[in-house]
Amino acid sequence: MKQKLDWRLIILFLLICAGLYIITESFLMSLGILLLLFVADHFVQELQERKRNQNKND
């Protein structure tokens, strides 16, 4: 299953991480949060795809 990257979502994730970096001054924590956001987005898209396929089969 190929996932598309939404550029608006990527910009939002980067803005969140930039704000977190400004608040905490920790680059590694900001990078970790960015990775967690991308992983969570992947699983949400996968869940939506499963529901779409399940509804299509019914």
Side-chain angles (χ1 to χ4, degrees), residues 14-32:
L14 289 175
L15 285 174
I16 290 170
C17 289
L20 183 64
Y21 177 73
I22 290 170
I23 292 171
T24 63
E25 298 178 357
S26 173
F27 176 74
L28 291 177
M29 185 178 3
S30 297
L31 184 62

Side-chain angles (χ1 to χ4, degrees), residues 6-51:
D6 185 11
W7 293 106
R8 292 178 288 182
L9 195 60
I10 292 173
I11 291 171
L12 177 66
F13 288 170
L14 289 175
L15 285 174
I16 290 170
C17 289
L20 183 64
Y21 177 73
I22 290 170
I23 292 171
T24 63
E25 298 178 357
S26 173
F27 176 74
L28 291 177
M29 185 178 3
S30 297
L31 184 62
I33 296 296
L34 180 66
L35 292 174
L36 286 174
L37 286 170
F38 278 114
V39 168
D41 179 55
H42 169 75
F43 284 120
V44 168
Q45 285 183 8
E46 189 174 304
L47 181 64
Q48 286 177 343
E49 185 69 27
R50 283 185 193 164
K51 282 189 175 185

